[in-house]
């Protein structure tokens, strides 16, 4: 007997080559971080402007986070309870980050202090800290605030060329005090 060999029928299908198309690459926007301020008040005001008689460079170093000197703000006398600094060339930045240390002494519950910004159209609140809510007396605290130009003026992508920043105490009397030290300010451009 002769063995039977069966051969599969030919197919007309040709294998389809697989083509791999690489996904387009999307670059993330480049962020540039620039140090604008690094102040510890060891040489005095360091460019900050004294608002009045409720502000001084203090050498009560037990209230200063580093070194011998810091700024003491007291009372609620508006500008007289504040320090201000002007910054130029700010139209390169769309975000600021402000870091600082502070110590509170004699602040009553509900007393507060502010960081404000003036982008050319008056003072606006950037952040406030309230005794009993955000901090307690007789201890050091750290704060970080991010200020976006779009939060101030939604249709403007960067800050104005000249801005001012101000720390202001809004407490009860001359015995209510905030000591500010080690201010670092960064500008971010995208």
């Amino acid at each position: 007997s002769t063995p039977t060999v069966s051969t599969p029928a030919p197919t007309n299908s040709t294998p389809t080559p697989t083509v791999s198309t690489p996904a387009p690459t999307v670059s993330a926007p480049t962020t540039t971080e620039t140090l604008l301020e690094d102040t510890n008040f060891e040489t005095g005001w360091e460019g900050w402007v004294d608002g009045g008689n409720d502000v001084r460079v203090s050498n009560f170093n037990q209230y200063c986070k580093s070194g011998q000197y810091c700024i003491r703000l007291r009372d609620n006398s508006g500008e007289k309870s504040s320090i201000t600094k002007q910054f130029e060339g700010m139209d390169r930045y769309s975000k600021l980050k402000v870091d600082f240390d502070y110590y509170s002494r004699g602040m009553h519950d509900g007393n507060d202090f502010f960081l404000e910004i003036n982008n050319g159209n008056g003072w606006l609140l950037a952040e406030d800290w309230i005794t009993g809510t955000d901090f307690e007396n007789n201890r050091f605290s750290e704060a970080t605030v991010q200020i976006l130009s779009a939060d101030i003026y939604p249709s403007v992508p960067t800050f104005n060329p000249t801005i001012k920043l101000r720390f202001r105490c809004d407490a009860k009397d001359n015995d209510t005090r905030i000591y500010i030290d080690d201010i670092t300010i960064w500008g971010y451009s995208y």
Side-chain angles (χ1 to χ4, degrees), residues 14-35:
T14 306
T16 307
T18 304
V19 177
S20 174
T21 305
T25 56
V26 178
S27 298
T30 303
T31 302
T32 302
E33 179 181 61
T34 304
L35 180 63

Side-chain angles (χ1 to χ4, degrees), residues 69-183:
Y69 298 94
C70 55
I71 295 297
R72 186 216 60 205
L73 306 175
R74 69 179 184 186
D75 207 359
N76 61 350
S77 305
E79 185 176 334
K80 292 179 181 179
S81 295
S82 72
I83 58 170
T84 303
K85 187 159 187 180
Q86 181 168 301
F87 295 87
E88 302 291 339
M90 299 305 290
D91 51 344
R92 293 185 295 249
Y93 306 108
S94 56
K95 179 174 104 173
L96 296 176
K97 183 174 83 166
V98 181
D99 296 315
F100 66 99
D101 298 311
Y102 64 96
Y103 187 95
S104 65
R105 185 168 162 256
M107 298 283 282
H108 303 280
D109 280 351
N111 287 172
D112 55 354
F113 72 101
F114 313 114
L115 174 63
E116 298 169 303
I117 183 170
N118 187 329
N119 199 33
N121 293 325
W123 292 106
L124 300 170
L125 179 68
E127 187 67 63
D128 68 331
W129 295 268
I130 302 169
T131 312
T133 301
D134 301 308
F135 64 91
E136 299 299 328
N137 278 310
N138 304 315
R139 66 177 67 159
F140 286 103
S141 300
E142 297 177 354
T144 297
V145 179
Q146 294 190 24
I147 306 169
L148 302 175
S149 61
D151 289 344
I152 298 170
Y153 300 108
S155 62
V156 180
T158 63
F159 295 101
N160 285 339
T162 301
I163 69 162
K164 294 179 182 178
L165 293 176
R166 175 168 76 178
F167 287 94
R168 182 166 60 92
C169 187
D170 186 36
K172 184 179 177 187
D173 53 39
N174 285 345
D175 292 328
T176 51
R177 300 169 182 192
I178 291 290
Y179 295 85
I180 295 179
D181 204 3
D182 300 331
I183 301 172

